[in-house]
Amino acid sequence: MKGDFDVIVIGAGHAGLTAAICAAESGASVCVLEVSPKNVRGGNSKHTRNLRPMHESALHPLEGSYGFDEYMDDLLRVTDGETNQALATLTLEASANSVPWLKDHGVAFQPPLGGTLHLGRTNAFFLGGGKAVMNALFQCADKLNITVVYEALDIQLDVDNGVFRRVDYSHQGNTEHLTAASLVVAAGGFEANLEWLAEAWGDAALNFLVRGTPYNRGDILRQLLAADAVQIGDARQCHAVAIDGRAPQFDGGICSRIDCVPLGIVVNNQAERFYDEGEDFWPKRYAIWGRLVAAQPDQVAYSIIDSQSAGLFMPTVFPPVEAPSLRELAEKLGLPQESLSTTVDTFNHSIVEADFNHQILDGCHTQGLAIAKTHWARKLDKPPFRAYMLRPGITFTYLGVEVDANARVKFNDSTCTSNIFAAGEIMAGNVLGQGYLAGIGMTIGSVFGRIAGREAARHAR
Ligand SMILES: Cc1cc2nc3c(=O)[nH]c(=O)nc-3n(C[C@H](O)[C@H](O)[C@H](O)COP(=O)(O)OP(=O)(O)OC[C@H]3O[C@@H](n4cnc5c(N)ncnc54)[C@H](O)[C@@H]3O)c2cc1C
């Protein structure tokens, strides 16, 4: 082994720490460089709730079984085949060890709480959420004498012909240099870099809210692509949902979710409906609403319900805007009053009476509208009326670097075997070309974190 360390890991999220721990457990000396300060550490991983492991029989906290074929069918459906089959197979198979590995490293699990997504069979929920996961992994890293440098700013990689030579960065005002036999990149996607997003989405991206860390700006990804790493995925592919428009620009996390969309109507800032709010159960549809709102003028929309929907959806962090009449609601929201009244009147008159039941696909639908509502359609006529402003909330991007089954980054035209490995969001596009399957983000980080750490240590030896 040579260099200051055997392995340097960039990014101290779930994928990076998993890699660091596996490398250290393989006997390597490991240094993790993290741009964020310690008090906000944990990247996007700190916001998570669950991962999706394959299991042939019940595996606490998971009920029943979720076998390879069903999992692969789900993945192929959401990605529409946009996945590397070999890496997808590897991910699914290795995911069977994710829960035991995390338990061995101090992570506790719990059954899903009532009212959350109905994922008790497919998704293992972390006790204490992602923050508890990250705290457990940082504790492990500490016990393994892994060096973690927080506020490692402006990291510059020296990569020559696909081979990592050294890293320069600034720390507490000093310029530092480190060398290592292997490098693991686990610095997330570029979802917090609105300017980069705007290259793909146009100026609309400047109105996006970022659900996670402000530090995933894609700087390491850009450097690798500039050093001729093979790019995977498309800059427009990402996970985005519609969230409370009052959420902060960054790091709002999961509590900014708005779950009442299927119970009422959603209008744009012209007070016009633009999509079937009752297409399917919300957990199956919520991930398409980020893009739908992104396509509306000023990237804003309003979810409108009446008093009948109170208590039928997860409570929100911020209270709704409320008014005794639609006109007053429109005024408070800054929507055209005539237009909102017309939209609601037309909607109310189109409803085919049936038994409303928000727990099943109840068939309560509209008739004769250009944009139908196919379930849970009932008149909005019981004041007070309530509304939530929605904005697109980007979760993470899929464009990344291509890897092989050893998590080794591929380079165009390189004549050398690279000593650079990747894990997590920065390579998630290998498995997730488009669409999303709840819990697969952490699954990819868990699987490729373990592979990258093990292989980086092996390469160093
Ligand atoms: C609100 C929210 C909820 C989510 N819920 C779930 C869920 O329940 N289940 C699931 O599977 N997925 C979920 N995801 C997605 C999940 O967070 C990611 O797929 C996963 O955390 C990625 O792990 P990672 O280690 O690659 O990235 P991260 O955890 O984001 O870690 C990347 C790290 O790299 C650091 N970094 C970035 N750039 C640099 C740089 N230039 N130099 C040094 N360090 C750098 C960052 O500061 C960060 O600490 C959620 C995401 C969000 C935002």
Side-chain angles (χ1 to χ4, degrees):
M1 296 189 182
K2 59 184 168 53
D4 298 310
F5 289 90
D6 300 324
V7 177
I8 290 174
V9 177
I10 301 185
H14 166 247
L17 281 195
T18 302
I21 289 167
C22 285
E25 287 175 344
S26 305
S29 60
V30 182
C31 175
V32 181
L33 298 178
E34 166 57 50
V35 66
S36 82
K38 186 175 180 181
N39 65 331
V40 289
R41 71 186 185 185
N44 281 349
S45 304
K46 68 174 174 291
H47 291 298
T48 63
R49 292 185 302 165
N50 59 61
L51 55 63
R52 178 180 288 252
M54 184 183 106
H55 55 109
E56 297 294 354
S57 55
L59 166 72
H60 176 79
L62 297 155
E63 306 152 1
S65 71
Y66 186 51
F68 179 84
D69 291 342
E70 185 184 357
Y71 199 159
M72 185 57 92
D73 281 352
D74 286 346
L75 182 64
L76 292 176
R77 183 174 35 77
V78 298
T79 58
D80 206 11
E82 287 291 319
T83 182
N84 175 322
Q85 281 273 359
L87 295 184
T89 300
L90 180 159
T91 305
L92 271 44
E93 286 175 350
S95 73
N97 291 326
S98 292
V99 168
W101 189 92
L102 285 165
K103 283 182 179 171
D104 284 349
H105 292 84
V107 175
F109 289 85
Q110 65 170 60
L113 298 174
T116 55
L117 309 179
H118 306 293
L119 298 171
R121 185 173 64 87
T122 54
N123 288 55
F125 280 72
F126 312 125
L127 180 66
K131 205 161 196 170
V133 173
M134 294 312 299
N135 284 339
L137 297 186
F138 276 111
Q139 243 172 37
C140 267
D142 202 33
K143 283 189 193 138
L144 289 163
N145 291 322
I146 293 170
T147 304
V148 181
V149 181
Y150 297 99
E151 299 183 62
L153 308 178
D154 192 24
I155 290 180
Q156 298 297 325
L157 301 177
D158 182 353
V159 176
D160 177 23
N161 198 19
V163 176
F164 163 69
R165 303 276 178 212
R166 71 174 210 172
V167 55
D168 299 339
Y169 61 98
S170 129
H171 187 239
Q172 297 176 342
N174 301 316
T175 303
E176 308 283 351
H177 321 278
L178 284 178
T179 58
S182 310
L183 177 75
V184 176
V185 289
F190 65 94
E191 54 276 352
N193 187 335
L194 296 182
E195 298 73 31
W196 190 346
L197 288 172
E199 288 172 23
W201 287 85
D203 284 350
L206 304 176
N207 285 329
F208 291 3
L209 300 173
V210 180
R211 301 177 70 211
T213 176
Y215 296 100
N216 285 0
R217 296 184 45 79
D219 295 341
I220 301 299
L221 175 59
R222 273 242 205 254
Q223 289 180 45
L224 288 175
L225 295 176
D228 223 13
V230 179
Q231 178 180 315
I232 188 91
D234 163 358
R236 275 179 74 89
Q237 291 305 334
C238 62
H239 181 266
V241 299
I243 59 171
D244 195 315
R246 298 162 293 180
Q249 178 68 63
F250 296 105
D251 257 344
I254 54 175
C255 65
S256 56
R257 263 179 75 155
I258 299 291
D259 283 348
C260 59
V261 164
L263 300 170
I265 61 169
V266 177
V267 298
N268 59 20
N269 65 8
Q270 306 302 306
E272 287 165 357
R273 290 178 59 243
F274 53 90
Y275 197 79
D276 178 359
E277 303 89 347
E279 192 176 38
D280 206 337
F281 289 112
W282 185 235
K284 291 195 182 172
R285 283 292 168 269
Y286 89 116
I288 67 170
W289 280 83
R291 281 167 187 276
L292 290 171
V293 176
Q296 297 308 307
D298 299 329
Q299 295 69 55
V300 68
Y302 300 86
S303 172
I304 297 176
I305 54 176
D306 68 7
S307 62
Q308 301 173 91
S309 298
L312 299 187
F313 60 99
M314 291 258 278
T316 55
V317 159
F318 302 118
V321 173
E322 188 175 297
S325 71
L326 283 167
R327 284 192 171 275
E328 284 158 287
L329 189 73
E331 194 182 343
K332 281 187 172 177
L333 297 173
L335 293 176
Q337 295 181 1
E338 279 306 320
S339 176
L340 184 62
S341 297
T342 307
T343 297
V344 174
D345 282 349
T346 314
F347 175 77
N348 285 350
H349 283 111
S350 74
I351 286 165
V352 178
E353 296 294 343
D355 286 338
F356 175 90
N357 182 345
H358 72 292
Q359 291 181 326
I360 57 169
L361 293 172
D362 67 358
C364 289
H365 63 279
T366 58
Q367 209 165 42
L369 293 183
I371 295 167
K373 183 171 180 189
T374 46
H375 298 287
W376 311 297
R378 65 174 165 182
K379 287 183 181 167
L380 284 173
D381 59 1
K382 305 275 185 302
F385 297 96
R386 300 188 175 112
Y388 294 94
M389 182 183 27
L390 303 175
R391 282 204 180 277
I394 186 157
T395 317
F396 73 100
T397 49
Y398 297 174
L399 183 151
V401 289
E402 192 170 325
V403 295
D404 66 13
N406 286 332
R408 198 182 292 268
V409 175
K410 292 187 181 175
F411 284 81
N412 295 303
D413 304 325
S414 170
T415 50
C416 297
T417 306
S418 180
N419 57 352
I420 307 178
F421 303 83
E425 280 178 12
I426 198 166
M427 49 65 62
N430 288 267
V431 178
L432 200 58
Q434 64 176 56
Y436 191 66
L437 203 51
I440 193 117
M442 290 293 272
T443 305
I444 294 170
S446 164
V447 168
F448 279 89
R450 282 180 279 145
I451 297 174
R454 187 190 67 214
E455 292 302 318
R458 194 201 303 271
H459 182 93
R461 275 201 301 277

